[in-house]
Amino acid sequence: MISELSTYRITDFLMFSKEALFGVYESYNQALWPVQILFLLLSLILLGYFARGFLLRTRREYLLISGAFSLAWIYQGLVFHTQYLSQIIWAAHYIAWLSLIQGILLLVFAFSSKSATGIRKNWLSVSLFFIAAFAPLEILWGGSFSTVTLFPWGMSPLALGTLAYLANQPPRLLSFMLAVFPLLYLLAKLVISLEL
Amino acid sequence: MKNYQRREFLSLSTALATSTLLPDFSLQAQETAVPQKKKIPTRGELLSSVGMGTWITFNVGRNQRLRDARTEVLAEFLTHGGGMIDSSPMYGSAEEVLGYALAKLGSKKGIFSATKIWTQSGEEGQEQFTSSKRLWGLDTFALEQIHNLVSWKSHLPYLRELKQSGAIRYLGITTSHGRRHQELEKIMAREPLDFVQLTYNIQTREVEQRLLPLAKEKGIAVIANRPFEGGSLIDFVKRHPLPPWAAEFECTNWAGFLLKFITSHPAITCAIPATSSVLHMRENMSGAAGALPDEKMRKKMIAYITSL
């Protein structure tokens, strides 16, 4: 059994081509248009928060922003993975469940935070969020403008944006736990990008 | 050199004669020549020696542009007399996209539909067969296979039932990447099968030792998957010139070279390259036209590839 496992390569599990993956992004973007404009505006507001020192004012603001991240993950699970990515990857249904759990945990995380004010500006966080919200990485990978997904409607940018959000929080066990799935997702995306 | 069936010889002669008389259409005449056909041992049915795989290439989801592009690939395959189309429920949306393409082309005439059962559960296997029929838009399949030997003991009786009822004409079992050959050999020796599917190409020839002779002996048709080693083999050889002596077996491109090597093995019935390109499909189908290399030439082909 172990000797058989050693014969497998990552490409054996990639049942889709880069073209097909871009095709999914393209269809997804077409169905979503023009909501992307609203998302870009939301990202600009969030970038402002990140740039001036995240969540310096009230708990209400903090919960609103955390809620936006949580909703974005739930949306990824219910819409992107279940309705789009699952067209070419059957395992997307499992990723959808993980996305839902991530979204719910983010909400739990926000409500369980006693204080979210007084956090200093964190340039790592600002940079990560800027890339997530405005860097069209699909084009660097060979895609066209129609395949570009950004924060919060693209899964990888959302994962990156979530890491930016978590990097701007006081260190807690739950914040580290919440970083696991986005990190694994980004790692998987990197490996897939290199293999395809 | 392989002997032609009389009808094939006449058709090919006509095509060649036409190409001589009408040079403007020579390429088309050559490309649409009647394909090389090989006999399926259990029933004697003839099958074009080059089929079409759908792994990765037809898994394009619901993107309309890509679906239409794959429809063109399928149309090219059928234009050149292609027969076997092989898919699986494991291949994501491939079966659904095939169904779309077949419906759009409006005719399923001439296709040799082959799919698989890929699940541990016997009950789910039956559901998969029903689902495959719906996705392809077919009432029956030519061939139903057990994918990668998964739970084969529980699926084989069901496949026999399907065959008896006329829902399929043939049953088979598959493996790939050279995995689980010992188990496949045992199944081939003990169970009555119409088809086996395995990996065979000019680079990966392990099956020549035991499985192909056994298939020949037991009268089991053989489908060769991964004829281009998942694309890496053809990408490699394309950096080198096609040897001029390839013309001796009417070969004009590397795809034809690699496919003719496979299908010239006496135990092989059909090779199933997958492509998402119309041009590549045309090249693949050239591997089904014209003469096949003999044993001496096959050795020369291996030596040449090894020397690259």
Side-chain angles (χ1 to χ4, degrees):
Chain A
M1 193 65 181
I2 290 169
S3 62
E4 189 184 317
L5 282 175
S6 67
T7 65
Y8 285 92
R9 296 177 57 216
I10 290 168
T11 45
D12 295 336
F13 300 97
L14 300 180
M15 50 193 284
F16 54 90
S17 63
K18 193 195 274 191
E19 185 192 26
L21 190 59
F22 282 147
V24 169
Y25 292 159
E26 190 180 64
S27 304
Y28 176 55
N29 270 335
Q30 280 169 0
L32 208 58
W33 179 256
V35 183
Q36 290 93 330
I37 296 169
L38 288 178
F39 284 149
L40 284 169
L41 290 173
L42 172 73
S43 291
L44 271 174
I45 295 166
L46 283 174
L47 186 68
Y49 275 103
F50 275 93
R52 73 165 199 225
F54 191 39
L55 315 170
L56 290 174
R57 291 180 187 167
T58 64
R59 181 166 173 77
R60 192 177 163 200
E61 273 181 337
Y62 173 68
L63 289 178
L64 269 175
I65 290 166
S66 302
F69 275 89
S70 169
L71 274 178
W73 278 98
I74 291 168
Y75 175 82
Q76 286 298 325
L78 292 178
V79 179
F80 178 68
H81 285 96
T82 307
Q83 294 178 29
Y84 290 90
L85 199 62
S86 63
Q87 290 173 23
I88 61 166
I89 307 170
W90 44 262
H93 290 291
Y94 301 107
I95 307 172
W97 278 110
L98 293 173
S99 302
L100 283 172
I101 292 166
Q102 177 81 7
I104 292 163
L105 285 179
L106 271 166
L107 215 55
V108 171
F109 175 75
F111 276 101
S112 65
S113 296
K114 284 177 186 166
S115 171
T117 58
I119 300 165
R120 287 185 179 180
K121 197 182 305 182
N122 175 338
W123 283 109
L124 170 70
S125 181
V126 176
S127 310
L128 283 181
F129 188 79
F130 181 81
I131 294 169
F134 303 107
L137 296 178
E138 277 86 1
I139 288 178
L140 295 178
W141 190 36
S144 65
F145 185 72
S146 63
T147 65
V148 171
T149 57
L150 296 168
F151 178 89
W153 77 92
M155 179 66 174
S156 304
L158 175 62
L160 199 60
T162 304
L163 292 178
Y165 165 84
L166 293 170
N168 219 340
Q169 305 283 332
R172 291 167 60 195
L173 179 63
L174 191 54
S175 62
F176 285 114
M177 283 169 63
L178 284 169
V180 172
F181 181 47
L183 274 171
L184 285 177
Y185 192 92
L186 288 171
L187 184 68
K189 183 71 187 284
L190 180 70
V191 171
I192 288 169
S193 306
L194 293 172
E195 288 288 337
L196 285 180
Chain B
M1 298 282 173
K2 168 123 185 110
N3 289 332
Y4 289 110
Q5 297 289 322
R6 185 172 172 272
R7 187 188 295 174
E8 291 164 355
F9 177 76
L10 289 172
S11 303
L12 190 59
S13 306
T14 309
L16 288 170
T18 309
S19 70
T20 315
L21 292 169
L22 300 167
D24 287 347
F25 296 98
S26 60
L27 185 63
Q28 191 182 351
Q30 187 189 345
E31 285 173 354
T32 54
V34 174
Q36 184 76 240
K37 292 198 175 182
K38 298 191 82 171
K39 200 178 274 185
I40 300 169
T42 50
R43 287 170 70 134
E45 187 180 346
L46 290 174
L47 180 65
S48 172
S49 61
V50 176
M52 184 182 89
T54 56
W55 167 243
I56 296 179
T57 53
F58 271 64
N59 181 20
V60 298
R62 289 196 280 274
N63 185 290
Q64 196 60 43
R65 181 176 55 79
L66 295 179
R67 281 184 167 212
D68 289 340
R70 297 307 178 268
T71 305
E72 286 176 26
V73 172
L74 179 63
E76 189 71 17
F77 173 69
L78 297 175
T79 300
H80 292 278
M84 176 177 284
I85 303 169
D86 178 74
S87 194
S88 168
M90 189 220 176
Y91 300 170
S93 60
E95 288 193 296
E96 189 184 332
V97 174
L98 263 177
Y100 169 87
L102 287 169
K104 192 158 186 190
L105 293 175
S107 171
K108 299 175 179 80
K109 199 181 164 191
I111 72 160
F112 187 96
S113 50
T115 191
K116 304 182 189 88
I117 283 176
W118 173 68
T119 175
Q120 293 286 347
S121 143
E123 200 176 314
E124 271 180 36
Q126 300 183 19
E127 286 167 18
Q128 280 187 351
F129 180 68
T130 308
S131 167
S132 292
K133 285 197 293 184
R134 178 178 54 80
L135 292 169
W136 286 60
L138 297 173
D139 296 325
T140 60
F141 273 92
L143 167 64
E144 180 75 348
Q145 304 155 100
I146 299 166
H147 195 135
N148 283 349
L149 281 71
V150 175
S151 204
W152 66 270
K153 282 180 188 164
S154 62
H155 296 314
L156 206 50
Y158 174 59
L159 262 55
R160 288 196 186 113
E161 274 175 39
L162 289 176
K163 192 177 165 184
Q164 210 157 22
S165 69
I168 60 174
R169 293 206 299 281
Y170 302 98
L171 61 85
I173 195 157
T174 80
T175 182
S176 69
H177 299 73
R179 295 181 191 122
R180 301 175 74 180
H181 280 181
Q182 284 184 338
E183 192 176 354
L184 180 63
E185 188 180 336
K186 282 181 194 161
I187 299 168
M188 288 167 71
R190 290 177 197 164
E191 305 286 346
L193 301 171
D194 299 308
F195 274 86
V196 288
Q197 186 179 140
L198 40 76
T199 296
Y200 178 58
N201 60 54
I202 201 164
Q203 199 173 47
T204 304
R205 303 191 307 277
E206 187 199 322
V207 293
E208 285 176 348
Q209 302 305 312
R210 298 179 69 89
L211 293 181
L212 293 184
L214 180 61
K216 191 81 182 152
E217 180 198 321
K218 303 285 285 184
I220 302 171
V222 180
I223 303 166
N225 60 33
R226 295 176 61 80
F228 303 144
E229 202 67 34
S232 62
L233 177 59
I234 196 152
D235 288 345
F236 169 71
V237 295
K238 272 187 170 174
R239 285 184 246 139
H240 303 275
L242 187 71
W245 42 262
E248 289 175 37
F249 52 95
E250 298 170 64
C251 177
T252 55
N253 58 64
W254 274 115
F257 185 97
L258 298 175
L259 290 169
K260 285 192 174 199
F261 174 82
I262 295 167
T263 59
S264 59
H265 191 290
I268 296 284
T269 312
C270 179
I272 47 168
T275 180
S276 54
S277 150
V278 170
L279 177 66
H280 289 168
M281 176 55 78
R282 204 170 297 154
E283 289 181 354
N284 290 349
M285 293 314 290
S286 76
L292 286 176
D294 58 16
E295 192 50 39
K296 194 177 159 194
M297 182 62 83
R298 282 171 54 83
K299 283 182 179 150
K300 195 174 176 180
M301 293 164 87
I302 294 170
Y304 183 72
I305 295 295
T306 312
S307 74
L308 296 178

